[in-house]
Amino acid sequence: MEGPFGLFDQEITEANGPIVLYGMGAGMVPLLGLAQQYANKKKIHLLWTGRLAKEDEYQKILRSLADKGVQIELKDHRFSKDELKSIFDPNEVQTARLIIVGPSSAVLSTRRILKKNRF
């Protein structure tokens, strides 16, 4: 897992497996556009944590993505290690291109959890 450093489109285009987009707070905004662009082309799993996840203006976008087969997980606060274990398919983290966007400390913490537990 490495940061795409603004090269999200290239990261997704080059990926052979599923795409996991994990947005924290306002970090979700660039990921919504990617999910919309690739929903019919790639298997997309979208995770969003933060207060914005429940606001009405995003509900229409999320419903549209779900209708296109995007798997969506929402939570007001960060997912715990156990919650992440239950969310991911056993092989998903091993085969997926994972893009995490949000506050750097939260991104690093989530990355450590995923790498350490290899789920």
Side-chain angles (χ1 to χ4, degrees), residues 41-63:
K41 300 172 186 165
K42 303 260 185 181
K43 180 181 176 190
I44 305 285
H45 191 167
L46 182 70
L47 289 81
W48 188 0
T49 61
R51 294 183 185 172
L52 297 176
K54 305 290 184 188
E55 290 187 12
D56 289 337
E57 65 258 25
Y58 293 102
Q59 293 303 316
K60 188 184 295 183
I61 295 169
L62 295 172
R63 278 192 300 274

Short mmCIF file of all heavy atoms in Angstrom, two decimals, residues 41-63:
data_model
loop_
_atom_site.label_atom_id
_atom_site.label_comp_id
_atom_site.label_asym_id
_atom_site.label_seq_id
_atom_site.Cartn_x
_atom_site.Cartn_y
_atom_site.Cartn_z
N LYS A 41 -17.09 -0.56 -14.59
CA LYS A 41 -15.91 -1.15 -15.22
C LYS A 41 -15.09 -2.03 -14.28
O LYS A 41 -14.38 -2.92 -14.73
CB LYS A 41 -15.01 -0.03 -15.75
CG LYS A 41 -15.69 0.84 -16.78
CD LYS A 41 -14.83 2.03 -17.12
CE LYS A 41 -15.62 2.96 -18.04
NZ LYS A 41 -15.02 4.25 -18.14
N LYS A 42 -15.16 -1.75 -12.99
CA LYS A 42 -14.36 -2.47 -11.99
C LYS A 42 -15.24 -2.81 -10.80
O LYS A 42 -16.25 -2.15 -10.54
CB LYS A 42 -13.20 -1.60 -11.48
CG LYS A 42 -12.25 -1.09 -12.54
CD LYS A 42 -11.03 -1.94 -12.55
CE LYS A 42 -10.00 -1.35 -13.53
NZ LYS A 42 -8.83 -2.15 -13.59
N LYS A 43 -14.84 -3.82 -10.04
CA LYS A 43 -15.52 -4.11 -8.78
C LYS A 43 -15.04 -3.07 -7.77
O LYS A 43 -13.84 -2.97 -7.50
CB LYS A 43 -15.19 -5.52 -8.29
CG LYS A 43 -15.88 -5.86 -6.99
CD LYS A 43 -15.53 -7.24 -6.50
CE LYS A 43 -16.19 -7.46 -5.15
NZ LYS A 43 -15.73 -8.67 -4.51
N ILE A 44 -15.98 -2.30 -7.22
CA ILE A 44 -15.63 -1.20 -6.31
C ILE A 44 -16.26 -1.47 -4.94
O ILE A 44 -17.44 -1.80 -4.84
CB ILE A 44 -16.16 0.16 -6.83
CG1 ILE A 44 -15.68 0.45 -8.26
CG2 ILE A 44 -15.82 1.28 -5.87
CD1 ILE A 44 -14.26 0.86 -8.38
N HIS A 45 -15.44 -1.30 -3.90
CA HIS A 45 -15.91 -1.37 -2.51
C HIS A 45 -15.57 -0.01 -1.90
O HIS A 45 -14.41 0.36 -1.81
CB HIS A 45 -15.19 -2.50 -1.78
CG HIS A 45 -15.79 -2.81 -0.46
ND1 HIS A 45 -15.46 -3.96 0.22
CD2 HIS A 45 -16.68 -2.17 0.34
CE1 HIS A 45 -16.11 -4.00 1.36
NE2 HIS A 45 -16.85 -2.92 1.46
N LEU A 46 -16.59 0.71 -1.48
CA LEU A 46 -16.44 2.07 -0.99
C LEU A 46 -16.72 2.12 0.50
O LEU A 46 -17.79 1.71 0.95
CB LEU A 46 -17.44 2.97 -1.75
CG LEU A 46 -17.46 4.44 -1.47
CD1 LEU A 46 -16.20 5.11 -1.99
CD2 LEU A 46 -18.70 5.06 -2.12
N LEU A 47 -15.74 2.59 1.28
CA LEU A 47 -15.90 2.77 2.72
C LEU A 47 -15.79 4.26 3.02
O LEU A 47 -14.89 4.93 2.49
CB LEU A 47 -14.81 2.03 3.50
CG LEU A 47 -14.89 0.52 3.52
CD1 LEU A 47 -14.32 -0.07 2.25
CD2 LEU A 47 -14.15 -0.03 4.71
N TRP A 48 -16.68 4.75 3.87
CA TRP A 48 -16.66 6.18 4.19
C TRP A 48 -16.92 6.35 5.67
O TRP A 48 -17.94 5.90 6.19
CB TRP A 48 -17.73 6.89 3.39
CG TRP A 48 -17.71 8.38 3.47
CD1 TRP A 48 -16.86 9.19 4.17
CD2 TRP A 48 -18.60 9.26 2.79
NE1 TRP A 48 -17.15 10.50 3.96
CE2 TRP A 48 -18.22 10.58 3.11
CE3 TRP A 48 -19.67 9.06 1.94
CZ2 TRP A 48 -18.89 11.69 2.62
CZ3 TRP A 48 -20.33 10.18 1.44
CH2 TRP A 48 -19.94 11.47 1.77
N THR A 49 -16.00 6.99 6.36
CA THR A 49 -16.18 7.31 7.76
C THR A 49 -16.15 8.81 7.95
O THR A 49 -15.38 9.51 7.29
CB THR A 49 -15.09 6.66 8.65
OG1 THR A 49 -13.82 7.15 8.29
CG2 THR A 49 -15.11 5.15 8.53
N GLY A 50 -17.02 9.30 8.80
CA GLY A 50 -17.05 10.73 9.07
C GLY A 50 -18.48 11.24 9.09
O GLY A 50 -19.41 10.57 8.66
N ARG A 51 -18.65 12.42 9.55
CA ARG A 51 -19.98 13.02 9.67
C ARG A 51 -20.65 13.25 8.33
O ARG A 51 -21.86 13.23 8.24
CB ARG A 51 -19.89 14.32 10.45
CG ARG A 51 -19.47 14.07 11.86
CD ARG A 51 -19.44 15.32 12.67
NE ARG A 51 -18.91 14.95 13.98
CZ ARG A 51 -18.59 15.80 14.89
NH1 ARG A 51 -18.74 17.08 14.67
NH2 ARG A 51 -18.12 15.39 16.04
N LEU A 52 -19.88 13.47 7.28
CA LEU A 52 -20.47 13.71 5.96
C LEU A 52 -21.19 12.49 5.41
O LEU A 52 -22.03 12.62 4.53
CB LEU A 52 -19.39 14.14 4.97
CG LEU A 52 -18.66 15.44 5.25
CD1 LEU A 52 -17.56 15.67 4.23
CD2 LEU A 52 -19.63 16.61 5.22
N ALA A 53 -20.86 11.33 5.92
CA ALA A 53 -21.42 10.10 5.37
C ALA A 53 -22.94 10.04 5.44
O ALA A 53 -23.56 9.32 4.67
CB ALA A 53 -20.82 8.89 6.08
N LYS A 54 -23.56 10.77 6.31
CA LYS A 54 -25.00 10.69 6.48
C LYS A 54 -25.75 11.90 5.92
O LYS A 54 -26.95 11.97 5.98
CB LYS A 54 -25.35 10.54 7.97
CG LYS A 54 -24.68 9.36 8.65
CD LYS A 54 -25.23 8.05 8.17
CE LYS A 54 -24.59 6.92 8.96
NZ LYS A 54 -24.90 5.63 8.48
N GLU A 55 -25.05 12.88 5.39
CA GLU A 55 -25.72 14.09 4.93
C GLU A 55 -26.50 13.85 3.65
O GLU A 55 -26.09 13.09 2.77
CB GLU A 55 -24.70 15.21 4.74
CG GLU A 55 -24.15 15.71 6.06
CD GLU A 55 -23.26 16.92 5.92
OE1 GLU A 55 -23.23 17.53 4.85
OE2 GLU A 55 -22.60 17.24 6.91
N ASP A 56 -27.65 14.50 3.53
CA ASP A 56 -28.58 14.28 2.43
C ASP A 56 -28.01 14.49 1.04
O ASP A 56 -28.33 13.75 0.12
CB ASP A 56 -29.81 15.17 2.60
CG ASP A 56 -30.69 14.72 3.75
OD1 ASP A 56 -30.62 13.54 4.12
OD2 ASP A 56 -31.44 15.56 4.27
N GLU A 57 -27.16 15.48 0.84
CA GLU A 57 -26.66 15.75 -0.51
C GLU A 57 -25.84 14.60 -1.08
O GLU A 57 -25.68 14.47 -2.28
CB GLU A 57 -25.88 17.06 -0.60
CG GLU A 57 -24.60 17.08 0.20
CD GLU A 57 -24.72 17.81 1.52
OE1 GLU A 57 -25.82 17.93 2.06
OE2 GLU A 57 -23.67 18.27 1.99
N TYR A 58 -25.33 13.75 -0.24
CA TYR A 58 -24.55 12.61 -0.71
C TYR A 58 -25.39 11.35 -0.89
O TYR A 58 -24.96 10.42 -1.56
CB TYR A 58 -23.39 12.32 0.25
CG TYR A 58 -22.37 13.43 0.25
CD1 TYR A 58 -22.34 14.35 1.28
CD2 TYR A 58 -21.47 13.56 -0.78
CE1 TYR A 58 -21.41 15.39 1.27
CE2 TYR A 58 -20.54 14.59 -0.80
CZ TYR A 58 -20.52 15.49 0.24
OH TYR A 58 -19.61 16.51 0.22
N GLN A 59 -26.58 11.32 -0.31
CA GLN A 59 -27.40 10.11 -0.39
C GLN A 59 -27.77 9.74 -1.82
O GLN A 59 -27.78 8.56 -2.17
CB GLN A 59 -28.66 10.27 0.47
CG GLN A 59 -28.37 10.33 1.96
CD GLN A 59 -27.60 9.12 2.46
OE1 GLN A 59 -27.89 8.00 2.10
NE2 GLN A 59 -26.58 9.37 3.27
N LYS A 60 -28.06 10.72 -2.64
CA LYS A 60 -28.41 10.45 -4.04
C LYS A 60 -27.22 9.82 -4.78
O LYS A 60 -27.38 8.86 -5.53
CB LYS A 60 -28.82 11.75 -4.75
CG LYS A 60 -29.37 11.53 -6.14
CD LYS A 60 -29.68 12.83 -6.85
CE LYS A 60 -30.79 13.56 -6.14
NZ LYS A 60 -31.20 14.80 -6.82
N ILE A 61 -26.03 10.33 -4.54
CA ILE A 61 -24.82 9.77 -5.18
C ILE A 61 -24.60 8.34 -4.69
O ILE A 61 -24.33 7.45 -5.49
CB ILE A 61 -23.59 10.65 -4.86
CG1 ILE A 61 -23.74 12.02 -5.50
CG2 ILE A 61 -22.30 9.97 -5.35
CD1 ILE A 61 -22.71 13.03 -5.05
N LEU A 62 -24.72 8.12 -3.40
CA LEU A 62 -24.50 6.79 -2.84
C LEU A 62 -25.53 5.78 -3.36
O LEU A 62 -25.19 4.65 -3.67
CB LEU A 62 -24.50 6.84 -1.32
CG LEU A 62 -23.35 7.63 -0.69
CD1 LEU A 62 -23.57 7.79 0.81
CD2 LEU A 62 -22.02 6.99 -1.00
N ARG A 63 -26.80 6.19 -3.46
CA ARG A 63 -27.83 5.29 -4.01
C ARG A 63 -27.53 4.94 -5.45
O ARG A 63 -27.67 3.79 -5.88
CB ARG A 63 -29.22 5.93 -3.89
CG ARG A 63 -29.85 5.76 -2.53
CD ARG A 63 -31.32 6.14 -2.54
NE ARG A 63 -31.55 7.53 -2.93
CZ ARG A 63 -31.52 8.57 -2.09
NH1 ARG A 63 -31.25 8.37 -0.82
NH2 ARG A 63 -31.76 9.78 -2.52
#
